[in-house]
Amino acid sequence: MGFTSAAEATASIEPLWQKYRDHFPVTRRLIYLNHAAVAPLSKPAAEAMQALSQDVLQYGSLHYDKWMHTYAGLRVAAARLIGSDPSEIALVKNTSEGIATVALGLDWRPGDRVVAFEEEFPANVFPWKRLEKTRGVRVEWLSVTDPLDKIDQACRGARLLAISFVQYLSGFRADLAAIGEICQRRNCFFLVDAIQGLGAFPMDVERYHIDALASDGHKWMLGPEGCGILYVRKQRQDSIDPVEFGWTNVAGYADYAARDMTLRADAGRYECGTLNTIGCYGLHAAIDFLLEVGVDRIGADVQKLGDLVAHGAQRKGFEILGNRSPENGAGIVSIRKPGTDCRMIVHHLQDRGILAAPRQGWVRMSPHFYVSPEEIERVIELLP
């Protein structure tokens, strides 16, 4: 009997994109490089939502108990995805709602200081600017490329630091482990906008000492719009008051005659009223699918695809935004060619079945793991 060599065993492993290709019917029509905007639904997410839609069409709320089971299941799946406990997961509409819940729920005092970053998406900028106007909070603006020593210095005496897992334009992936260590040592609340990395790269809120994390499901988690998660560390929940208050924030919400306003004992205290049920069905299925594939494996493939985009575009004479490396690279790559309108390039690609996005003078490309390396090569060939 012969033996299989390590090289032969490696070669025999089916690539992820090939193994899960049929979960993404969009591949029959498009080379989809726009996951940093709105991703196509994964097949499991779409099927779960379609099943609920048909059930409600035929039976109304007869199977309401299954809805409740799905809410609980989504919290469990989300907790597995980020390394937390389900009691630390609230179901929210989007990332902005999650960030705002923390930003407006803390008991701020004039002179409190927030550390924030200039390159952030507005959802992680406007809440801190508003606190400057309404609560007398001071915001110290850094760059995501600043050295850790500068971040460490800024966190001395700061109340909170807010940063994205991955930056929406440059694709810069933050060193959450190092920043989390700084925040823990400085007793600084650590808030992460995770929407551009969660689902594409592994996340461990315990390891990174993250106090709160927010993410919608419609990008790298391959779920629907309008349904997301908010993680709040158990020890921090009593320090963050619910911004919106309705019947489901309270512990006795199932008793409609009750008037006791004691908050729920878990992160459900941040859920105000009826949830996006069909969205919860979709996001639950989407996260379960990601966990089945393995986010560590997904992350390695997303990184490789991003590298292919970056290196290929540079060969064609394009400029790459930022300095991409194995440590800070992610699935987002923004490119441009001097003298060429980014919108023209996006339209040129779209006419050829390739979906990217124009962003602030750049062409932003964001492939997920089910895109093949051969498709990336085709995109590079078709760049004008």
Side-chain angles (χ1 to χ4, degrees):
M1 179 180 291
F3 293 93
T4 302
S5 69
E8 289 172 330
T10 301
S12 68
I13 297 174
E14 187 177 14
L16 282 189
W17 70 264
Q18 190 172 337
K19 182 176 181 180
Y20 293 102
R21 186 80 164 178
D22 64 348
H23 287 67
F24 298 94
V26 69
T27 56
R28 301 168 197 159
R29 299 167 179 83
L30 295 167
I31 299 177
Y32 205 93
L33 305 182
N34 202 24
H35 297 86
V38 178
L41 287 173
S42 59
K43 197 172 181 181
E47 290 176 344
M49 296 169 74
Q50 288 163 354
L52 176 67
S53 177
Q54 284 301 310
D55 184 65
V56 177
L57 176 67
Q58 302 294 337
Y59 297 101
S61 63
L62 177 62
H63 302 131
Y64 188 83
D65 58 328
K66 293 183 180 179
W67 305 5
M68 301 298 290
H69 179 75
T70 296
Y71 303 153
L74 174 52
R75 294 187 187 97
V76 170
R80 286 183 59 201
L81 186 66
I82 68 173
S84 73
D85 187 87
S87 67
E88 298 172 309
I89 302 293
L91 306 180
V92 294
K93 296 191 299 291
N94 48 53
T95 311
S96 294
E97 183 181 35
I99 294 173
T101 297
V102 176
L104 299 178
L106 287 167
D107 181 21
W108 297 100
R109 301 174 184 84
D112 282 346
R113 190 158 50 84
V114 168
V115 179
F117 295 83
E118 296 170 348
E119 299 91 344
E120 293 285 341
F121 190 76
N124 204 16
V125 172
F126 293 161
W128 318 120
K129 285 184 170 290
R130 188 155 191 246
L131 287 176
E132 284 186 304
K133 294 181 178 180
T134 61
R135 304 282 186 93
V137 171
R138 293 192 299 115
V139 182
E140 182 168 351
W141 296 99
L142 303 181
S143 169
V144 294
T145 60
D146 281 338
L148 290 172
D149 286 348
K150 187 170 183 179
I151 296 175
D152 190 1
Q153 182 66 27
C155 284
R156 292 183 63 180
R159 182 93 183 267
L160 179 146
L161 179 145
I163 194 169
S164 287
F165 186 6
V166 173
Q167 290 298 319
Y168 79 100
L169 184 60
S170 69
F172 180 90
R173 178 158 50 97
D175 187 345
L176 296 183
I179 296 172
E181 186 279 327
I182 290 170
C183 288
Q184 184 192 46
R185 178 162 40 82
R186 297 295 188 189
N187 193 29
C188 177
F189 192 108
F190 187 21
L191 170 63
V192 174
D193 174 346
I195 194 170
Q196 293 293 8
L198 194 59
F201 291 91
M203 168 60 68
D204 189 332
V205 294
E206 288 295 327
R207 179 186 170 202
Y208 301 152
H209 307 294
I210 295 171
D211 293 300
L213 173 150
S215 178
D216 202 336
H218 67 272
K219 297 185 189 292
W220 301 92
M221 283 194 279
L222 302 168
E225 284 196 292
C227 187
I229 64 169
L230 168 64
Y231 156 80
V232 179
R233 182 178 294 277
K234 183 67 174 177
Q235 296 87 337
R236 294 288 198 176
Q237 290 175 13
D238 286 340
S239 66
I240 302 173
D241 286 333
V243 178
E244 298 178 300
F245 209 97
W247 66 282
T248 58
N249 299 84
V250 302
Y253 68 91
D255 180 0
Y256 304 154
R259 296 298 180 261
D260 184 352
M261 294 178 64
T262 302
L263 291 173
R264 287 161 68 170
D266 56 19
R269 66 180 62 192
Y270 304 114
E271 297 172 5
C272 178
T274 302
L275 296 172
N276 175 3
T277 301
I278 198 165
C280 289
Y281 267 74
L283 186 55
H284 184 196
I287 294 177
D288 277 350
F289 169 66
L290 293 172
L291 292 170
E292 172 196 325
V293 178
V295 180
D296 53 343
R297 297 177 67 198
I298 291 172
D301 281 12
V302 168
Q303 178 85 354
K304 290 175 185 175
L305 291 169
D307 290 343
L308 286 175
V309 171
H311 297 153
Q314 286 176 319
R315 289 197 312 269
K316 292 288 291 275
F318 281 75
E319 176 188 356
I320 308 299
L321 177 59
N323 296 309
R324 185 180 177 86
S325 74
E327 293 75 29
N328 68 30
I332 295 172
V333 182
S334 292
I335 67 175
R336 69 182 178 188
K337 179 175 281 188
T340 307
D341 190 327
C342 72
R343 294 167 295 182
M344 182 276 291
I345 296 174
V346 169
H347 289 309
H348 169 84
L349 293 174
Q350 186 169 324
D351 288 343
R352 289 153 181 81
I354 300 162
L355 202 62
R359 291 292 186 271
Q360 296 162 239
W362 298 84
V363 177
R364 188 181 69 183
M365 298 185 179
S366 47
H368 217 316
F369 77 96
Y370 66 87
V371 175
S372 73
E374 290 75 18
E375 286 174 314
I376 299 298
E377 288 301 322
R378 173 166 169 75
V379 172
I380 299 304
E381 290 174 7
L382 291 173
L383 282 174

